[in-house]
Amino acid sequence: MDVAASEETVSDYLLAHSTAQDDVLARLAEETRTRFPEAAGMQITADEGALLTMLTRLTGARSAVEVGTFTGYSSICIARGLADGGRLLACDVSGEWTEVAQRYWAEADVADRIDLRLAPAAETLAALPAEPSIDLAFVDADKESYPTYYEELVSRLRPGGLVLLDNVLLGGRVLDDGEGGERVVAMRAVNDRVAADDRVDAVMLPLRDGVTVARRR
Ligand SMILES: C[S@@+](CC[C@H](N)C(=O)[O-])C[C@H]1O[C@@H](n2cnc3c(N)ncnc32)[C@H](O)[C@@H]1O
């Protein structure tokens, strides 16, 4: 069997058997594809969104952080899972992309739970209170900075809190010894760090481009 075709078939099957996206998310995905065709591939898929909502609910999260908001798909999925009174700090550097996000946050009726911070996320995270206060963090921004984001977030996680890292496989390039670019080196470093970090229990899920779930002990 053709391996690539088989992987695509499995991905489609997983998508078809996970909670479907609702109309707001479907329209957001469509507008993102139409307005930003070159960048639209950065958006998470509906099955990953369902996972975010589920993990946010399962942890009873009241304080969440997202690094990499783009047009708002993942932030809606996290915000929908928050416990009553919960808040999501959404970090990005693009006013153009997050303008779309803000419109869809309003449509999804979650705008009042989300604080957008337009600044390099490393600065935003470093300025957060040092004590553990975060229940769930999702990292999906510049890959070179993942080691920094992980360290800033894991030290601020409450016991039982989760840090989720997206794209940890980088299309399989983390496994290829011939790959030595900055993004790949950084991703290998954070993957090794998580696996060896005795502050967390972790599992790397082969969902889409790989999602690590690390839970603070
Ligand atoms: C892969 S996209 C995020 C996709 C988003 N999670 C979604 O579901 O649609 C990456 C985002 O990270 C943002 N970004 C890149 N470098 C950043 C930085 N240094 N600080 C904060 N955000 C950054 C980009 O502007 C972009 O919107």
Side-chain angles (χ1 to χ4, degrees):
M1 189 176 2
D2 181 309
V3 172
S6 142
E7 277 176 8
E8 199 179 319
T9 306
V10 170
S11 287
D12 288 348
Y13 192 82
L14 296 177
L15 195 56
H17 295 82
S18 299
T19 301
Q21 63 188 357
D22 69 355
D23 176 61
V24 176
L25 290 174
R27 282 189 288 107
L28 167 56
E30 178 56 31
E31 179 169 345
T32 303
R33 273 195 299 274
T34 306
R35 282 191 54 189
F36 310 115
E38 303 290 316
M42 296 200 297
Q43 189 167 62
I44 64 161
T45 49
D47 46 357
E48 195 172 351
L51 178 70
L52 289 179
T53 304
M54 185 179 291
L55 291 176
T56 309
R57 286 212 176 106
L58 283 172
T59 51
R62 293 176 55 84
S63 170
V65 176
E66 171 182 78
V67 180
T69 296
F70 189 39
T71 55
Y73 198 109
S74 51
S75 44
I76 290 174
C77 296
I78 296 167
R80 282 177 165 167
L82 290 170
D84 285 350
R87 302 209 64 80
L88 170 65
L89 174 63
C91 306
D92 207 289
V93 286
S94 169
E96 185 184 17
W97 287 335
T98 56
E99 177 274 322
V100 176
Q102 290 176 86
R103 262 193 296 116
Y104 280 90
W105 292 343
E107 286 203 38
D109 207 18
V110 294
D112 60 349
R113 300 178 210 171
I114 303 177
D115 302 306
L116 174 64
R117 203 71 51 86
L118 281 184
E123 291 174 15
T124 301
L125 299 182
L128 294 176
E131 64 269 14
S133 60
I134 298 171
D135 299 307
L136 181 135
F138 177 57
V139 178
D140 185 21
D142 50 320
K143 309 311 170 201
E144 300 82 354
S145 302
Y146 268 42
T148 302
Y149 298 150
Y150 176 73
E151 294 303 336
E152 294 288 359
L153 289 164
V154 75
S155 64
R156 293 176 169 87
L157 278 186
R158 288 204 175 104
L162 304 181
V163 60
L164 313 173
L165 306 175
D166 198 18
N167 305 111
V168 291
L169 296 176
L170 284 182
R173 292 195 294 284
V174 290
L175 298 158
D176 182 349
D177 291 341
E179 291 277 354
E182 197 184 347
R183 303 171 82 230
V184 176
V185 169
M187 195 62 81
R188 283 191 195 121
V190 79
N191 289 343
D192 292 346
R193 172 70 173 137
V194 172
D197 190 348
D198 61 12
R199 293 171 295 179
V200 299
D201 297 309
V203 58
M204 190 180 273
L205 304 174
L207 179 66
R208 300 290 159 181
D209 194 24
V211 181
T212 286
V213 179
R215 179 182 185 271
R216 181 84 199 228
R217 290 177 174 156

